[in-house]
Amino acid sequence: MSQATNTSVPPAATAAAAPNASKKSKKSKDNFQLKTPKGTKDWSGKDMILRESIFNSLSSLFKRHGGVTIDTPVFELTEILTGKYGEDSKLIYNLQDQGGELASLRYDLTVPFARFVAMNNVQNIKRYHIAKVYRRDQPAMTKGRMREFYQCDFDVAGQYDTMVPDSEILAILVEGLTGLGIKEFKIKINHRKVLDGIFKVCGVKDEDVRKISSAVDKLDKSPWEAVKKEMVEEKGQTEEVAEKIGSYVKLNGSISEMAEKLGADELLLSDPSAKEGIEEMKILAEYTAAFDIHQYLSFDLSLARGLDYYTGLIYEAVTDASKAPENAQELKKKASKKGDVEDASEYVGVGSIAAGGRYDNLVNMFASATGKKNVSIPCVGISFGVERIFSLMKARNDLMDKIRSNSTQVYIMAFGDGYLSERMKIAKELWANGIECEYLYKAKAKTRPQFTGAERSGAPVAVIIGKDEVASGKVRIKKLNQGEDADEGELVDLKDVATAVKSLLTKLNAGSSVDEIAAMIKGL
């Protein structure tokens, strides 16, 4: 076949075409669009300062609750990830075969954690992990719906009394969001045992439960009629079954109210799984009241969480920005007419900003695959969606206007000879004392460029030397950006420069840049 194809082209034609093909190849190689792949972005300036502050805030929170951190590979064997995410499995990024192993980019941090626990025979651990995950999804760039994004996870693995770690995880969720200045949010919670029991008493077959759960999970984005239509036309349920399910999944309220209401439902109590779930929710109500977080919680039977591995309590945190705008379809049409297919931020919501749940069988699934029997390491965890939280915080102009793009606290200046070596020695002393400082990279530094450099750095303090200061072994420490209230600053001995600078920064309430933004966030 290949021989016939080759001989069908005259040699002269091939020779004539070769130069053109070469030119075309060279042109396509030299000319390309300089951009990041769809669903990814570069981070710099104020964005990096804000994101770093989010990481620091959550890391400190996780440590306060006894967490230890781990790291896992950015890709896992494909068989490790397969079958763990339900319908979302289609969003896994598969890699090319290398060395006989099929691998995929991690979809979340939960499945790699369960693999780690099973592989290392860990009996109990509180672990946190901050790292990137990947989704082969259609992104909406400015709403935090990305193909590459960070998750901040905290999980508890091990055998504990019912609902004790679950309630602390919810407390961590509340503390994490309020610590980031996010005050107006609601945590929707549900229980997989209750939800699965509802499906069964309504007439759903066991093999269809996960499919119906996936449909119900769309109620936060779609009206009931659309979800009902999917159940009947796509999932094979009767109108009667769908209506029965609807009578339950439209219910929500406080944990105590809902547990009491469901606990009086004889039909639902006929299912052992649902009955067990209701009893666990009654226990949870007591513990969340002890943590004083019950006011943030709503027992919402429409919450399903599409991932297959959840077995018990499930939850997600939402804000007003989580929902799509009411005129979403109209905005989507406008965007399509403009040809803007990448940025769907105008007509989609942020979605949940944190989510998680209990997954008691995932570790056992991995352990069983290696021949270990009867391994039971229950797990429960929470995942904060950093990019989605970031998009909410960045929308606060009162916050972003105050953030400086770098961490420089002190700018070292010299008048007269330049005194580069002296500036270097002062910088070395300040760096050794943990003070962020800079100076102009010029041996003969002129005055104007130094003030320009100080202004660009945003440094609140300057250390200044000149002929008189060098001769007397002193430096002048001066507050910057005072306008008409500017003064000459304070003369101090060179040996005391770090102490004097720290004292002034404390008076100005100017710690490191990350500390500053953390203080601003908490003051929102």
Side-chain angles (χ1 to χ4, degrees), residues 138-151:
Q138 180 65 28
M141 291 290 291
T142 61
K143 293 288 188 179
R145 299 164 68 91
M146 311 284 282
R147 285 177 168 171
E148 176 192 65
F149 57 96
Y150 272 96
Q151 285 186 339

Side-chain angles (χ1 to χ4, degrees), residues 86-271:
E87 292 186 1
D88 282 353
S89 291
K90 63 181 181 292
L91 303 181
I92 295 174
Y93 263 116
N94 294 320
L95 305 177
Q96 286 187 334
D97 179 11
Q98 291 288 337
E101 288 188 338
L102 295 176
S104 303
L105 293 178
R106 60 188 174 205
Y107 178 90
D108 64 7
L109 301 178
T110 304
V111 171
F113 170 60
R115 189 264 308 151
F116 170 87
V117 171
M119 198 171 93
N120 293 283
N121 196 30
V122 177
Q123 295 303 303
N124 56 71
I125 186 176
K126 286 182 173 181
R127 93 79 171 85
Y128 72 92
H129 192 184
I130 299 177
K132 287 181 177 181
V133 298
Y134 300 86
R135 306 277 169 92
R136 192 169 57 85
D137 200 358
Q138 180 65 28
M141 291 290 291
T142 61
K143 293 288 188 179
R145 299 164 68 91
M146 311 284 282
R147 285 177 168 171
E148 176 192 65
F149 57 96
Y150 272 96
Q151 285 186 339
C152 294
D153 282 21
F154 186 95
D155 292 76
V156 179
Q159 295 279 0
Y160 300 97
D161 286 356
T162 301
M163 288 292 162
V164 174
D166 306 67
S167 57
E168 184 170 350
I169 289 289
L170 290 173
I172 289 171
L173 174 50
V174 171
E175 193 178 340
L177 295 181
T178 55
L180 290 170
I182 300 172
K183 309 296 185 185
E184 301 298 326
F185 64 90
K186 179 174 68 174
I187 300 172
K188 297 194 292 185
I189 65 175
N190 200 355
H191 200 298
R192 268 286 174 85
K193 291 178 182 177
V194 175
L195 191 62
D196 289 354
I198 288 171
F199 296 149
K200 290 176 183 177
V201 300
C202 288
V204 177
K205 296 177 182 178
D206 287 349
E207 59 268 25
D208 291 337
V209 164
R210 285 282 74 84
K211 291 191 293 184
I212 299 305
S213 181
S214 176
V216 169
D217 195 44
K218 297 172 183 174
L219 278 172
D220 62 334
K221 304 180 184 70
S222 304
W224 163 247
E225 289 304 321
V227 172
K228 176 185 171 183
K229 184 178 179 181
E230 179 180 334
M231 287 183 186
V232 175
E233 296 184 5
E234 298 178 31
K235 311 293 186 181
Q237 304 303 306
T238 66
E239 287 268 354
E240 183 182 3
V241 168
E243 285 296 341
K244 284 182 180 179
I245 292 172
S247 68
Y248 281 104
V249 298
K250 295 175 186 178
L251 299 175
N252 63 77
S254 71
I255 303 178
S256 299
E257 292 169 348
M258 288 293 293
E260 184 178 350
K261 184 179 182 68
L262 297 177
D265 188 321
E266 293 299 329
L267 176 63
L268 190 56
L269 291 178
S270 66
D271 181 84

Side-chain angles (χ1 to χ4, degrees), residues 41 70 81 100 173 191 210 262 303 339 392 435 465 499:
K41 64 174 287 186
I70 68 168
L81 304 183
L173 174 50
H191 200 298
R210 285 282 74 84
L262 297 177
L303 178 66
L392 291 178
I435 300 169
I465 55 174
T499 302

